[in-house]
Amino acid sequence: MAEQPGKVTLEKLVSLSQRRGFIFQSSDIYGGMGSCWDYGPVGVELKRNVKQAWWRAVVQERDDVVGIDTSILMHPQVWVASGHVKEFADPLVECKSCHQRWRADHLTEPKCPSCGGELTEPRMFNLMFKTFMGPVEDAANIAYLRPETAQGMFVNFANVLNTTRKRLPFGIAQQGKSFRNEITTGNFIFRSREFEQMELEFFVKPGTDVEWFEHWREQRFNWYVRHGIKKENLRLRDHEKKELAHYAICCSDVEYLFPMGWSELEGIADRGSYDLTQHSKASGKSLSYFDDETKEQIVPYVIEPSAGVDRSVLAFMCDAYDEEPDKDEIRVVLHFHPDIAPIKIAVLPLSRKENLVQFARKVHADLRSCWTVQYDDTQSIGRRYRRQDELGTPFCITVDFQSLEDNRVTIRDRDSMNQIRVPVAVLRDTMTKKLGGENILVLPEGGEVWKQG
Ligand code: ATP
């Protein structure tokens, strides 16, 4: 495929990811494992930041949400009760000539997209990975790798309610791996068979669900904008009745304008009381809630914002990617929001002379206690800037011979490429302000340290 100058494509991101250590094909040295991906040294930081930003907005900053971390393998009855054993299937068709398999609802024409051949009638293919618990491989020991994290929240509803004494409305949030034996995968990390989700189950009184559905639609849309995604590349799309999953009353997707077109980033669904009712019936345990106002037992409704970590990572990368003319060349730069940027600061001594390296190492040691900071003294300064631009590092700090005399260093801004010189003594405060400084205690001017006891 011809590369379009200046425009982000998945090919460019795959190549940048490989070159700079964001994402590698899984089991690369064995020729790769289709539809599985490994996050490299830079990618893992990016992914952690995405998850951290979600956790901060959905759990840490709210009074009405608590977190949880449940196991991937669950009692097989969970998946019977949830409807996944029966319903979690996609329509599969096979080409009668080349035998490639396709998801029927993704095809625009009733013929094989690869060779144009005739297709079989669709049959429903269950997406859950099956395995066996313990050493005996028989039907009694079947276990499934979870295809969503949500069921971990539903089966722990009573545990959380009893231990936290939360009252409605309240939510339970979780991040973790999910597995789906997708018929077709692709578009880099957009659709894989092993991926991570960030899900919230927000329990509400029946009758207030529409209002809370609207609340979470807006919250989740704004989360992407808050972390730097351009508004014009995002949209909310309401599902039509025929698109709805078996449990949903209504559903909206947050969609992003990926290089392959508008696609789902996150789904927000009103699941009604379906899941709690099903689990209560199947387990024989009450999952109801005593309403203090009406003095009645009720089964809460649930609003579920369900986002993909990997799809979010891909959206952040696509949106941040830019190619800018720089003298006679092209500068590739990722304009990540500071909260999302995998490396926040790079410390770059202008030479490898011992006294300069010592100075720069000290600056690095001081800053790394607060942020992920890279130290780099290889190659020319121009190439090092370029490397950091490709990693999306918001600030580079250069240490030169003048620094040894005046105790000042230069801060170079990734986006404007402007440079300012500041005393080392105020460097940490300056960086705190520039990076947004969340989670970092800064003593304001004239402030004092408060000592306990
Ligand atoms: P699609 O229609 O794209 O298959 P879905 O509607 O089945 O997705 P949900 O069940 O709503 O997806 O899952 C919630 C989120 O989990 C999705 O919005 C997406 O971000 C993520 N997700 C789902 N399947 C995959 C996958 N195979 N690879 C990566 N992320 C996924």
Side-chain angles (χ1 to χ4, degrees), residues 166-187:
K166 286 272 173 214
R167 308 306 295 157
L168 290 184
F170 78 93
I172 311 178
Q174 151 156 255
Q175 302 179 330
K177 288 259 174 158
S178 293
F179 302 82
R180 295 184 188 179
N181 199 5
E182 300 275 2
I183 296 167
T184 48
T185 57
N187 290 326

Side-chain angles (χ1 to χ4, degrees), residues 274-290:
Y274 175 83
D275 304 271
L276 291 181
T277 306
Q278 287 294 104
H279 286 304
S280 183
K281 266 196 233 157
S283 67
K285 301 277 168 16
S286 164
L287 296 176
S288 63
Y289 168 93
F290 183 71

